[in-house]
Amino acid sequence: MMRIVILTGAGISAESGLGTFRDKDGLWTKYDLEDVATPQGFAHNPRLVHDFYNARRANCLAALPNDAHHALARLEAEFPGDVVIITQNIDNLHERAGNHRVWHMHGELLRALCASCGHRWNAPAIMTPQDPCPACHALATRPDVVWFGEMPHMMDDIQQALYEADLFVSIGTSGTVYPAAGFVRIASAGGAQTLEINLETTGSVFDETRQGEAGKQVPAWVDEVLRQA
Ligand code: OAD
């Protein structure tokens, strides 16, 4: 059975209207990453951090999956082998397109986490520092997202999937944030073919690179894979 492992980043949601981080006008040109995406930033100003993620949650709920998300849902439904999506994105557009195997290594906008007891629950549309944990009642509610300096989720499963992959495809990520940026090397060392689909080439070590918008390139690639399957 052929195994395909797909890594996605902000570029796959760009055509849905969700901003990327490092492009011109990207989120990190408007906000200081240290302020809104680190445990220290949250300790210093939790309201600012909640407001940042509240705005992103509203954008996510107002957005729709695009042709790239839909193509990956079709791949999961129709490919006779194994398909898993590892996403750095905290939006839910893969799930809303119909993918079932989506691993959110950087967490999820629509989930809340208690920093005191570790309880997780569905995030309300607007979160505030005054929200008590429904389990332990501590005032330590935070978005269930992974910040810089924290451990991404599911790393053991991801490592195993990368070693077992026959094909590793990276879509819409600049390849600047580790550990995700190192996945191509792990997959390659494990014997996988590697393909990058991105607006720009990232200079990383892929066997093949396809340049262009995810909304065009991903459906074309999925058509090819399903034709050959
Ligand atoms: P980046 O903003 O770093 O990179 C987005 C990539 O998508 C760039 O290489 C763009 O060229 C490409 N791109 C833009 N529009 C595209 C389109 N329509 N089709 C295809 N590609 C397109 O975003 P990520 O690589 O996802 O982490 O960033 C990785 C992590 O850094 C994020 O998960 C987040 C961020 O800081 C945390 O906050 C922990």
Side-chain angles (χ1 to χ4, degrees):
M1 185 183 59
M2 184 171 166
R3 296 170 193 268
I4 302 178
V5 174
I6 298 165
L7 172 69
T8 63
I12 198 167
S13 296
E15 289 157 74
S16 295
L18 301 181
T20 62
F21 296 97
R22 295 175 182 78
D23 291 298
K24 192 168 86 54
D25 299 331
L27 279 167
W28 295 154
T29 67
K30 297 176 188 137
Y31 295 88
D32 193 335
L33 179 161
E34 298 289 336
D35 291 340
V36 297
T38 62
Q40 295 79 6
F42 186 63
H44 178 67
N45 191 344
R47 175 160 296 279
L48 175 82
V49 176
H50 276 303
D51 286 348
F52 174 75
Y53 288 98
N54 288 341
R56 302 198 53 214
R57 191 175 302 110
N59 290 345
C60 162
L61 293 172
L64 293 172
N66 65 50
D67 289 347
H69 298 104
H70 289 301
L72 294 185
R74 181 166 164 246
L75 182 69
E76 187 189 295
E78 297 181 16
F79 186 66
D82 197 53
V83 176
V84 62
I85 295 177
I86 304 167
T87 188
Q88 298 166 88
N89 298 344
I90 57 179
D91 67 53
N92 64 352
L93 296 179
H94 285 305
E95 289 88 342
R96 281 162 60 201
N99 278 100
H100 297 96
R101 292 190 74 203
V102 184
W103 296 350
H104 281 275
M105 64 177 292
H106 288 172
E108 295 176 70
L109 266 178
L110 298 186
R111 299 283 285 165
L113 166 67
C114 176
S116 180
C117 76
H119 181 66
R120 290 186 157 89
W121 65 100
N122 288 334
I126 307 287
M127 293 175 67
T128 78
Q130 284 78 43
D131 297 341
C133 168
C136 76
H137 309 293
L139 294 181
T141 293
R142 53 168 283 181
D144 188 9
V145 301
V146 174
W147 287 323
F148 287 92
E150 296 182 323
M151 190 65 87
H153 298 317
M154 302 193 71
M155 285 308 297
D156 289 346
D157 292 321
I158 290 172
Q159 192 95 349
Q160 172 131 9
L162 291 170
Y163 277 128
E164 291 174 356
D166 298 298
L167 177 60
F168 172 78
V169 187
S170 171
I171 304 172
T173 173
S174 60
T176 49
V177 176
Y178 281 83
F183 290 175
V184 58
R185 285 189 179 79
I186 299 175
S188 203
Q193 287 292 303
T194 59
L195 166 67
E196 174 175 67
I197 300 177
N198 206 54
L199 206 51
E200 60 189 17
T201 55
T202 60
S204 195
V205 289
F206 291 87
D207 296 320
E208 186 189 346
T209 296
R210 298 186 183 190
Q211 232 177 308
E213 293 183 338
K216 294 226 162 50
Q217 295 292 328
V218 176
W221 168 70
V222 167
D223 281 347
E224 270 173 47
V225 171
L226 290 178
R227 230 182 292 125
Q228 289 162 11

